[in-house]
Amino acid sequence: MGDEKVNIHRGLVGIHFDRTQTTYINGKQGILEYRGYSIHDLAEKSTFEETAYLLLHGNLPNKAQLDEFDKILRSSRKIPSKVLKIIETIKSAHPMDVLRTAVSALSAFDKETDDKSYEATLRKGIRLTAQVPTIVMSHNAIRQNKKPVTPNPELSHAANFLYMLDGSIPPENTTKLMDKDFILHADHGSNASAFAARVCAGTQADLHSAITTGISVLSGPSHGGAAENVMKMVKEVRSPEKAKDYVTNLLRNKERVMGFGHRVYKAEDPRAGHLKEGVEALGKEKGDPGWYEILVAVMDAMKPYQRRGIHVNVDFFAGVIYHLLGIPTDLFVPIFAIGRIPGWTIQVLEQYEHNILLRPLLHYTGEHEKQYISIEKR
Ligand code: SDX
């Protein structure tokens, strides 16, 4: 058992473990493409429904294909009353824990749960894309002892999500911003939650299991959990003038500034700029520009760290947008999950297509061949 020479890649930093045809990320240049289309084009010109179709099917839909896909999404938004009962039972839990539990429970009611064929998995992924917003907003109503707002088939994915918040039809501009947010969160290669979903699919577990895994991993503050923590940080900073001292303090205590840094991007996250514009416009429209000004002040305070590759990421602006839309802070990470369902689904489908069990090694550095001593003598 000599100490054979092994190369250990902690955190699997920089390790390519498979090939993909879905999402291209160039961390050095800050480039992101879904199926070869720039995130900038998709954010400005596409819709979440069209982008979800692109990710899942590999090509942009024509009008008939998009209409059919949209029709299926709109007709799949309901969740079984027994799942609503489970949500009622755990209504005081964090929305991410409720979402994880409800998605897991949905597998008991989905007629295709045991069918792991490509076609059935795709259908289940589309159903979950439609159902997850209903889970999040039904829980939000139930925990306030209100009746959940019934999903509205007349509304788009983003508009219906906002509609279920309080039963009012959202204005066009906020719907467009929410839609853009879902596009920007739709997929991101082998991020921690997608990697975990792939590990799950690698054992031939079903899609509900893989997406339940993804939701669990996304909830961590180093990943999706950052969006909620950025809002907490901005509330603690309170004014732009205090941003520099706040950031200096955090960094002096070796703490992380939420919404900054990324394992892959060492240039600015190409998604962040699209949300930055959104926060500024929404803040002005709501007569509440202060939050945007605090964000800009925090960005200025973090400028010196850019030379170390620490830039703003997708979570930095998203939280303030949700806050300005009147969405409770603990729903911020579930919103990330809502956008990511098509991404997790296509990652699972890719894993299934060329499946291999994902089982890396740990290099043992402990003791060997120790003598067993009976308990009387210990
Ligand atoms: C997402 O992977 C994906 O694609 C994820 C995502 C997706 O779409 O799925 O893009 C979404 O999760 C975005 C990231 C959201 N998380 C945060 O905003 C939380 C704050 N960020 C950090 O926790 C951190 O940047 C990570 C976890 C995101 C990335 O960390 P890494 O790659 O493991 O880098 P590291 O921790 O090794 O840091 C390298 C150096 C360290 O300094 P030294 O110890 O070498 O001196 O950079 C510093 C870190 O201290 N650093 C930060 C920092 N991020 C890194 N310092 C202060 N604040 C930060 N935010």
Side-chain angles (χ1 to χ4, degrees):
M1 274 160 282
D3 194 359
E4 71 278 23
K5 186 88 193 75
V6 292
N7 285 329
I8 294 175
H9 302 277
R10 296 205 69 236
L12 301 179
V13 177
I15 296 291
H16 291 83
F17 68 93
D18 212 329
R19 293 177 176 76
T20 180
Q21 304 239 320
T22 304
T23 293
Y24 170 67
I25 301 171
N26 181 315
K28 280 202 182 64
Q29 295 168 33
I31 297 171
L32 172 60
E33 294 172 351
Y34 295 160
R35 300 288 193 179
Y37 292 89
S38 160
I39 194 64
H40 301 303
D41 282 342
L42 295 170
E44 293 310 321
K45 301 169 187 166
S46 186
T47 62
F48 174 73
E49 288 85 344
E50 182 180 78
T51 297
Y53 183 100
L54 171 66
L55 283 167
L56 292 169
H57 293 280
N59 53 283
L60 284 174
N62 60 33
K63 178 126 180 30
Q65 288 165 329
L66 183 57
D67 290 349
E68 177 57 22
F69 183 73
D70 188 29
K71 200 158 123 258
I72 296 169
L73 280 172
R74 290 173 187 236
S75 62
S76 310
R77 290 170 173 165
K78 282 205 178 340
I79 53 176
S81 55
K82 286 183 179 165
V83 173
L84 285 170
K85 282 206 175 48
I86 291 170
I87 292 172
E88 167 74 39
T89 314
I90 57 170
K91 66 182 178 183
S92 54
H94 188 285
M96 277 302 273
D97 298 340
V98 172
L99 177 58
R100 184 191 66 222
T101 307
V103 166
S104 180
L106 276 176
S107 67
F109 301 92
D110 193 299
K111 52 192 182 317
E112 297 190 292
T113 287
D114 297 332
D115 185 343
K116 293 167 201 166
S117 67
Y118 192 97
E119 296 69 21
T121 302
L122 182 55
R123 285 192 294 271
K124 288 187 278 187
I126 294 168
R127 270 200 290 282
L128 280 169
T129 299
Q131 290 171 315
V132 163
T134 310
I135 293 171
V136 173
M137 284 307 187
S138 297
H139 171 230
N140 188 49
I142 289 169
R143 69 176 175 174
Q144 299 172 73
N145 299 317
K146 290 179 186 165
K147 190 171 169 309
V149 175
T150 307
N152 183 340
E154 299 303 312
L155 298 176
S156 69
H157 196 76
N160 177 61
F161 171 69
L162 292 171
Y163 167 76
M164 291 191 292
L165 186 62
D166 57 11
S168 57
I169 308 274
E172 188 51 37
N173 63 327
T174 48
T175 295
K176 178 84 195 105
L177 188 52
M178 198 71 237
D179 185 71
K180 185 182 288 186
D181 179 85
F182 287 149
I183 291 170
L184 295 169
H185 283 90
D187 189 51
H188 209 246
S190 62
N191 54 85
S193 53
F195 179 69
R198 276 181 173 258
V199 171
C200 192
T203 68
Q204 300 176 62
D206 66 43
L207 182 72
H208 284 81
S209 305
I211 289 192
T212 301
T213 306
I215 294 167
S216 307
V217 172
L218 185 71
S219 65
S222 295
H223 190 8
E228 186 173 329
N229 291 328
V230 169
M231 197 65 221
K232 287 180 185 150
M233 171 176 75
V234 169
K235 285 177 178 171
E236 283 168 9
V237 171
R238 301 167 65 83
S239 76
E241 298 71 30
K242 297 203 176 78
K244 190 159 176 49
D245 287 349
Y246 184 92
V247 166
T248 308
N249 236 339
L250 270 189
L251 298 172
R252 188 180 300 121
N253 299 334
K254 283 274 176 219
E255 288 178 62
R256 299 296 167 86
V257 181
M258 291 291 119
F260 283 85
H262 199 277
R263 172 59 62 79
V264 181
Y265 289 125
K266 300 310 168 194
E268 183 170 310
D269 183 331
R271 301 167 290 182
H274 292 281
L275 295 176
K276 181 169 188 270
E277 289 159 21
V279 178
E280 184 175 21
L282 195 58
K284 282 186 186 140
E285 184 208 314
K286 302 277 182 188
D288 198 357
W291 301 110
Y292 173 71
E293 287 154 13
I294 293 172
L295 290 173
V296 170
V298 171
M299 273 183 81
D300 288 345
M302 284 296 285
K303 269 211 169 76
Y305 284 78
Q306 289 182 2
R307 62 171 167 276
R308 289 177 49 193
I310 301 167
H311 295 260
V312 72
N313 63 46
V314 70
D315 288 320
F316 185 65
F317 294 103
V320 172
I321 289 178
Y322 310 148
H323 176 76
L324 287 167
L325 293 177
I327 296 171
T329 304
D330 63 4
L331 294 191
F332 291 6
V333 189
I335 292 175
F336 190 144
I338 290 172
R340 190 51 56 93
I341 304 294
W344 285 329
T345 300
I346 191 58
Q347 295 287 340
V348 166
L349 284 167
E350 277 202 339
Q351 184 65 34
Y352 278 169
E353 267 202 304
H354 312 285
N355 205 357
I356 181 169
L357 180 70
L358 288 155
R359 198 279 186 216
L361 298 172
L362 281 168
H363 176 51
Y364 180 73
T365 57
E367 296 174 76
H368 291 281
E369 293 175 1
K370 294 175 75 174
Q371 192 69 30
Y372 184 84
I373 312 287
S374 66
I375 192 152
E376 293 75 26
K377 295 183 184 140
R378 283 180 218 157

